Amino acid sequence: MGLHTLRLATVPLTFSTFTSRLFLKPIPPNTLQTLGQFSRHVQPRKPFLVRAFSASAAVHETPPTQASDSSAARPQWKASIDFKWIRDNKEAVEINIKNRNSNADLGGVIELYENMVNLQKEVEGIREERNNVAKKMKGKLEPSERERLVEEGKSLKESLVTLEEDLVKLQDELQQVARSIPNMTHPDVPIGGEDSSAIRKEVGSPREFTFPIKDHLQLGKDLDLIDFDSASEASGSKFFYLKNEAVLLEMALLNWTLSEVMKKGFTPLTTPEIVRSSIVEKCGFQPRGDNTQVYSIDGTDQCLIGTAEIPVGGIHMDSILLESVLPLKYIAFSHCFRTEAGAAGAATKGLYRVHQFSKAEMFILCRPEDSETFHHELIQIEEDLFTSLGLHFKTLDMATADLGAPAYRKFDIEAWMPGLGRYGEISSASNCTDYQSRRLGIRYRPSEPLQTGSKKGKASLPATKFVHTLNATACAVPRMMVCLLENYQQEDGSVVIPEPLRPFMGGIELIKPKLR
């Protein structure tokens, strides 16, 4: 499928804020303390951030007209990829690529890297020769010898310019080819396709119904909650209108989720829903590839986000954090937009797979040694949320071929959807280690004593390290609605609201059929 583009129309748009559309309960004091820390965590000019980051990860912006250049064009940004490690661990990387069913060109990366190293040595050799010529010319010389040295210096300069241009092109090509290499994989991850994924935990059991059950499409129609037909006319397939109690249910799900996750020390965010294509790429997505899930805005270098993970990842881009502020834990609300290229069939009908939806996403930045612990914390939060709603679900350790390029390890949660007659994914939690931070340029400086250097006893700061990033879905509204409507339906056609959500719906306990 080709590139999905959106053309901007000159129509004024207004967007209401998240909080103005939700029914909020009184915020407890400990939550206010969490909110009080918000600006300290996200404002890039606070003391713990150093904006002058190394040039290797700097963003080089180009005019919007260059947004659709071919892959042969010079990259707009450079990732801090450890090419030497890749070369020295060629066998392990090759096995990892195979296990993940990746099409990465490892041989091409190593060849380009070795060519780059050799060319760098050649460039350094010529620079040294130029310096030697310059030193010789400082002394007393015969006119003929001086003229010879001048000509030699010109020749070396011309050679150096050519080689430096070749080096830049080679570095850019290496960056482009190396971006396809996926993250390494946790040793406990099952090897194989999705069917090889291992069940970590199973909670509850499928509800036994004593009456014919309906799927969420029929329930949504009978209870006047969801309108797919009008949305199809207005926007196209895989869009929908929510109506009546369904609107309150969406708000309740998001408010309840935010309140519960904030109790765990997460800072709430709303995010931009349009970002630069480079941010999408740095997070490990392909905004302009074949079968892309990303909507790109025609004539710009911008995209609609498919998940809040992308703009949240950009908050601390090209920054050096102090170790003392880690971990940074966010719970972000956004609308998400996905092309759903290639999605078709009964398994994707209704709310299960749509182009636009609301979602609350958790995101953590932490020290490398802490990321595995936080990965388990994220999946535990998800399991606690879904258990509180009375859902039957299983947690899976996803197999290698089902991992996206950034993920070192990924846990999925699949819940029972009786109307659809199957389990469906409602959440995932991924540990991306330093895959994203090396591209986004997010480092931290360890809290270690100053080190005394050998030169005149001067003290130096400890070397920076890349943070690890993790993300997890706290609430993807449409699929949660599928679960709630189908699992809580009653024989008379009504749907019971789970108890934790009732205070966020103004006390509504039951969605009843409308009187006609």
Side-chain angles (χ1 to χ4, degrees):
M1 183 174 290
L3 173 67
H4 292 261
T5 59
L6 304 175
R7 296 189 178 276
L8 297 180
T10 56
V11 179
L13 301 177
T14 58
F15 296 85
S16 58
T17 62
F18 174 50
T19 52
S20 68
R21 294 190 288 113
L22 304 186
F23 300 98
L24 292 172
K25 295 178 68 181
I27 301 177
N30 62 334
T31 302
L32 289 173
Q33 293 174 1
T34 301
L35 286 169
Q37 299 170 357
F38 172 66
S39 61
R40 177 170 66 85
H41 285 172
V42 301
Q43 293 182 14
R45 300 189 182 274
K46 289 295 183 181
F48 70 82
L49 295 181
V50 180
R51 299 305 298 178
F53 183 65
S54 64
S56 63
V59 178
H60 305 285
E61 296 182 4
T62 59
T65 55
Q66 299 181 16
S68 59
D69 288 349
S70 68
S71 60
R74 182 174 179 179
Q76 298 181 26
W77 56 274
K78 292 184 178 180
S80 297
I81 299 173
D82 192 341
F83 297 109
K84 183 177 183 299
W85 187 93
I86 291 174
R87 184 194 63 184
D88 294 346
N89 295 271
K90 176 182 176 181
E91 290 185 4
V93 176
E94 189 172 25
I95 292 171
N96 185 61
I97 289 172
K98 180 181 179 181
N99 289 342
R100 295 173 73 128
N101 198 26
S102 169
N103 60 358
D105 183 7
L106 177 60
V109 170
I110 293 176
E111 181 181 356
L112 287 169
Y113 172 66
E114 290 178 342
N115 290 343
M116 184 191 72
V117 170
N118 292 333
L119 189 54
Q120 283 175 330
K121 291 178 180 178
E122 191 173 350
V123 167
E124 290 167 2
I126 292 180
R127 285 174 180 164
E128 188 174 351
E129 287 185 52
R130 284 193 70 199
N131 291 336
N132 291 335
V133 169
K135 289 178 182 177
K136 290 178 182 179
M137 292 185 66
K138 291 180 180 178
K140 189 174 181 180
L141 300 170
E142 293 293 330
S144 59
E145 178 64 12
R146 182 173 295 278
E147 184 177 350
R148 186 188 70 79
L149 289 174
V150 168
E151 291 301 319
E152 184 179 355
K154 288 181 180 179
S155 177
L156 289 170
K157 181 179 179 181
E158 291 173 0
S159 298
L160 185 60
V161 169
T162 300
L163 289 176
E164 286 178 335
E165 289 177 352
D166 291 343
L167 181 59
V168 169
K169 292 178 182 177
L170 192 57
Q171 289 172 334
D172 290 343
E173 186 179 359
L174 174 59
Q175 280 281 326
Q176 198 71 34
V177 176
R179 289 179 191 175
S180 63
I181 294 183
N183 199 351
M184 295 302 288
T185 307
H186 191 287
D188 293 340
V189 170
I191 296 173
E194 185 177 358
D195 293 341
S196 300
S197 300
I199 297 177
R200 298 180 68 248
K201 179 190 289 188
E202 190 162 357
V203 176
S205 58
R207 177 186 168 189
E208 295 184 3
F209 292 88
T210 59
F211 55 88
I213 59 175
K214 304 175 183 178
D215 62 19
H216 69 279
L217 289 89
Q218 189 63 49
L219 289 164
K221 183 177 181 179
D222 292 349
L223 295 172
D224 197 23
L225 300 176
I226 311 169
D227 186 347
F228 290 101
D229 294 337
S230 297
S232 179
E233 292 295 324
S235 302
S237 62
K238 297 187 185 298
F239 288 93
F240 60 94
Y241 289 100
L242 292 183
K243 303 166 64 178
N244 301 313
E245 292 94 339
V247 179
L248 304 184
L249 182 57
E250 171 169 332
M251 300 300 119
L253 278 166
L254 291 168
N255 262 306
W256 173 72
T257 299
L258 283 172
S259 66
E260 290 299 306
V261 176
M262 286 169 63
K263 294 174 185 177
K264 307 293 185 181
F266 285 72
T267 297
L269 292 177
T270 59
T271 74
E273 294 173 357
I274 295 177
V275 297
R276 299 187 187 278
S277 299
S278 59
I279 306 299
V280 179
E281 293 171 355
K282 290 175 183 181
C283 288
F285 301 91
Q286 300 298 322
R288 301 181 188 280
D290 295 335
N291 293 322
T292 179
Q293 295 298 313
V294 180
Y295 284 107
S296 294
I297 302 176
D298 194 19
T300 76
D301 67 340
Q302 295 172 313
C303 303
L304 301 183
I305 65 170
T307 169
E309 168 192 348
I310 296 168
V312 177
I315 290 179
H316 299 292
M317 183 174 64
D318 299 334
S319 299
I320 299 176
L321 313 176
L322 292 180
E323 183 178 9
S324 58
V325 307
L326 298 177
L328 293 173
K329 302 163 75 174
Y330 298 111
I331 173 69
F333 164 80
S334 74
H335 295 104
C336 304
F337 305 86
R338 300 183 184 179
T339 67
E340 296 299 351
T348 66
K349 67 180 182 179
L351 291 175
Y352 190 80
R353 201 173 293 278
V354 292
H355 290 309
Q356 176 185 337
F357 59 96
S358 301
K359 182 160 72 81
E361 182 82 1
M362 296 180 284
F363 194 92
I364 295 178
L365 302 94
C366 68
R367 301 182 307 170
E369 58 266 34
D370 297 331
S371 65
E372 187 159 1
T373 298
F374 284 119
H375 194 200
H376 287 281
E377 177 182 319
L378 287 172
I379 194 65
Q380 186 63 56
I381 291 173
E382 292 178 334
E383 290 172 347
D384 290 346
L385 290 172
F386 304 142
T387 299
S388 296
L389 293 177
L391 301 182
H392 164 51
F393 62 87
K394 55 185 178 181
T395 304
L396 304 172
D397 193 350
M398 301 308 293
T400 51
D402 199 61
L403 300 179
Y408 175 65
R409 191 178 196 181
K410 180 167 76 94
F411 300 140
D412 277 5
I413 292 182
E414 295 184 353
W416 178 246
M417 301 175 178
L420 297 180
R422 63 182 179 87
Y423 289 93
E425 180 190 340
I426 60 171
S427 181
S428 67
S430 299
N431 182 359
C432 298
T433 62
D434 63 356
Y435 184 94
Q436 293 176 327
S437 62
R438 283 181 175 273
R439 289 154 174 76
L440 291 163
I442 309 175
R443 302 175 184 250
Y444 75 97
R445 195 175 299 281
S447 302
E448 300 173 1
L450 294 178
Q451 301 171 355
T452 302
S454 58
K455 295 183 179 180
K456 299 181 181 180
K458 291 185 177 180
S460 60
L461 293 171
T464 59
K465 299 179 181 179
F466 287 102
V467 301
H468 279 195
T469 62
L470 304 96
N471 63 83
T473 307
C475 177
V477 169
R479 294 192 184 181
M480 291 303 296
M481 283 198 171
V482 172
C483 290
L484 297 181
L485 292 176
E486 293 186 359
N487 280 287
Y488 281 94
Q489 62 181 294
Q490 305 299 301
E491 188 171 8
D492 64 358
S494 62
V495 173
V496 174
I497 300 299
E499 190 171 343
L501 301 179
R502 294 173 188 174
F504 297 88
M505 289 190 64
I508 295 175
E509 299 181 4
L510 193 68
I511 302 176
K512 302 176 182 178
K514 310 294 184 295
L515 296 176
R516 299 186 184 278

